[in-house]
Amino acid sequence: MGWLKAFIPQHLPNERLLDILDMGTHFKISEKKIRANYRANADTISKAFSSGGSFYTRGKYIENQPQWKQIRFGKFTMDYSGCEIIAVYNAMLSLGETLPEQGIADLISVFEKEGAVLWGGWGVAPRAICRFFQGRGCETAITCSTEPEPVNRMGEEYYTVVITVYNDAGDITKQIHTMNVSKAHKNAFILHNCYRRDRDGSYAGGMPYASLWEAVKSLQGGAAMPVCIIGIKPKAAAAGRKADCMSEKYAL
């Protein structure tokens, strides 16, 4: 059965996988469900903040997706299929934006309306992430290459990237994961929400890597393989005010 598990990652072109994910966005989440999820998510977040027991801290990278069981996304929950939304949130932070307390609830609603795959069960289509940032005045590019040179070029040329990978290039049952990789400085690429833990058991971002390819290949003991890399940066005209492209309110 090993060959069957490996068939999709090894024989289905990455571009075709993106096409399949795009097709999955035609299964729309109802407006009623989106509104109900927003109210529930906003209430959960507010209570968590007021009690001091929040599972996330405003203005800091989200690293702990498994702890987001109470937050809804489509017909599912963020711990199950929210990695793309978390990657977008983290990418926004790395571009200089700080969202309000309820910003993550607004962001979930945005992708429930546009980009959710199979009612949220398969997360968000990568091309929808590109459109999200383009709609806010950012320049984006996407590559489906599995070779080091084009992957590293994306890391070098863009302010921040969102990566989608097969967790295991030889086993589709280990699924796909999407993360943001920020740049601490020119040669420091840091994975966010990669499920790594500190010695005290808390979730933390990854260690810095000298290239984007090294960061990708650090995942799952080297078993991971890129599906696509999305590069994001402000357009040249907005370079002096780089946070402007993320400054819209995500209200329903």
Side-chain angles (χ1 to χ4, degrees):
M1 292 293 290
W3 68 270
L4 186 59
K5 292 180 179 180
F7 183 82
I8 290 178
Q10 293 186 8
H11 297 284
L12 180 70
N14 285 342
E15 291 85 353
R16 298 292 78 75
L17 177 60
L18 297 195
D19 292 341
I20 291 168
L21 294 174
D22 285 342
M23 287 189 289
T25 65
H26 295 298
F27 296 86
K28 297 296 185 182
I29 301 166
S30 71
E31 287 291 333
K32 181 179 179 181
K33 181 66 172 173
I34 293 171
R35 289 193 296 270
N37 283 355
Y38 182 85
R39 289 193 295 269
N41 290 341
D43 183 61
T44 299
I45 291 168
S46 293
K47 287 179 179 177
F49 270 97
S50 63
S51 67
S54 179
F55 41 84
Y56 94 103
T57 302
R58 178 175 174 264
K60 291 189 177 182
Y61 292 106
I62 297 173
E63 310 286 3
N64 60 338
Q65 184 181 345
Q67 295 178 344
W68 285 64
K69 298 179 184 295
Q70 301 176 74
I71 301 299
R72 304 175 184 180
F73 170 43
K75 296 184 178 182
F76 301 84
T77 53
M78 287 285 286
D79 65 301
Y80 177 72
S81 58
C83 59
E84 287 84 12
I85 295 173
I86 290 172
V88 168
Y89 179 93
N90 287 341
M92 294 172 75
L93 293 186
S94 67
L95 284 164
E97 176 73 1
T98 300
L99 279 75
E101 180 179 302
Q102 299 296 346
I104 186 68
D106 296 322
L107 197 58
I108 292 167
S109 295
V110 166
F111 285 110
E112 286 177 326
K113 289 181 177 181
E114 175 63 35
V117 182
L118 296 180
W119 305 284
W122 283 16
V124 173
R127 288 172 180 147
I129 295 174
C130 285
R131 292 192 296 272
F132 172 85
F133 283 106
Q134 290 167 356
R136 281 145 184 84
C138 292
E139 177 184 333
T140 70
I142 187 167
T143 179
C144 292
S145 176
T146 58
E147 297 298 323
E149 184 176 345
V151 169
N152 283 336
R153 189 180 308 121
M154 294 289 283
E156 293 164 2
E157 294 182 359
Y158 288 83
Y159 278 56
T160 193
V161 298
V162 171
I163 66 170
T164 297
V165 302
Y166 288 108
N167 286 319
D168 190 326
D171 189 351
I172 187 58
T173 66
K174 293 185 179 178
Q175 302 181 325
I176 290 171
H177 188 43
T178 298
M179 292 154 280
N180 169 240
V181 184
S182 66
K183 294 163 71 174
H185 49 78
K186 183 177 180 180
N187 292 314
F189 295 85
I190 301 174
L191 290 155
H192 298 288
N193 192 36
C194 57
Y195 300 169
R196 289 177 178 155
R197 290 178 179 262
D198 285 337
R199 289 183 178 180
D200 63 3
S202 62
Y203 289 94
M207 61 180 290
Y209 292 92
S211 70
L212 182 56
W213 180 258
E214 286 186 24
V216 171
K217 294 310 292 181
S218 74
L219 296 164
Q220 306 298 325
M225 183 178 75
V227 172
C228 67
I229 312 288
I230 299 170
I232 307 158
K233 64 180 176 182
K235 288 186 177 178
R241 47 188 176 86
K242 69 177 183 179
D244 286 2
C245 62
M246 279 71 65
S247 62
E248 285 192 21
K249 172 66 177 171
Y250 309 108
L252 291 169

